[in-house]
Amino acid sequence: MAAPKLIVFDLDFTLWDCGGTWCDCLTSPFRSSGGRVLDRRNQHVTFYPDVLSVLDFCDAQSMPIALASRTEQPAWARELLDLLAATHRFAFAEIYPSSKVKHFSALRDATGLEHESMLFFDDEMRNITEVSRLGVTSVLVEEGMSMELFRKGLSQHSGSSDASRAEG
């Protein structure tokens, strides 16, 4: 199988850490101060250390990237992406409370790409399981996105068979 045609990331505990909680458990308003993004209680929101390198790699390889997040506060997630100066990095963003199956159906419709050509990273096994059933190569992110895990996902996608798409 060829390289993925779309790389899809979850947000909470996959691309960013919101002080050990989900972004919808933060307290708005949010602000950028001294290069840091903080909520009203000074909870720090930051990308995991390798995330910008992963996004840079995708850009350099002309790999389109998307988001699929089930947050209860989509406006907050979008605001945090803006404050982290990352909104422009994602060609597609499905950010709303729903199942990841709905997110991936919307991504398929928006891109015209089949699920089998997508690679997905998420920290929740239930999402990995349901998205894998669609034919998406799915990788469990246990300690935040890293370049090593990203490369593993690329390798898994290029060598994946229909019988083994989920990685845990």
Side-chain angles (χ1 to χ4, degrees):
M1 178 177 278
K5 294 182 180 173
L6 183 67
I7 311 288
V8 185
F9 297 99
D10 174 51
L11 286 171
D12 293 327
F13 299 107
T14 299
L15 289 186
W16 63 32
D17 177 29
C18 297
T21 190
W22 298 273
C23 73
D24 51 11
C25 293
L26 297 173
T27 306
S28 71
F30 305 106
R31 69 192 184 287
S32 183
S33 174
R36 298 176 56 165
V37 175
L38 305 165
D39 79 346
R40 188 175 73 209
R41 294 172 294 158
N42 292 320
Q43 193 92 3
H44 185 203
V45 179
T46 185
F47 284 126
Y48 288 102
D50 286 359
V51 166
L52 293 178
S53 295
V54 168
L55 299 180
D56 288 344
F57 178 88
C58 291
D59 287 346
Q61 300 299 313
S62 299
M63 294 176 158
I65 52 179
L67 295 168
S69 176
R70 296 182 312 120
T71 184
E72 295 290 326
Q73 293 288 346
W76 290 5
R78 291 179 188 281
E79 183 179 352
L80 291 169
L81 285 165
D82 284 344
L83 289 169
L84 290 165
T87 302
H88 71 283
R89 312 287 300 253
F90 302 95
F92 305 93
E94 298 299 320
I95 304 174
Y96 45 85
S98 185
S99 80
K100 297 285 176 145
V101 170
K102 183 173 181 183
H103 291 143
F104 275 83
S105 292
L107 287 170
R108 184 190 60 217
D109 292 346
T111 64
L113 298 171
E114 294 303 318
H115 289 134
E116 292 78 11
S117 67
M118 299 178 189
L119 173 59
F120 176 52
F121 296 90
D122 195 293
D123 68 301
E124 291 187 57
M125 194 63 208
R126 66 180 170 151
N127 295 329
I128 296 298
T129 300
E130 76 176 6
V131 171
S132 294
R133 289 186 189 128
L134 299 174
V136 177
T137 301
S138 301
V139 179
L140 182 65
V141 178
E142 296 182 277
E143 297 179 21
M145 194 68 224
S146 69
M147 184 57 82
E148 179 183 354
L149 187 61
F150 180 73
R151 291 186 189 282
K152 181 179 176 183
L154 289 176
S155 176
Q156 181 183 333
H157 184 274
S158 65
S160 67
S161 68
D162 290 341
S164 67
R165 289 206 180 265
E167 174 67 29

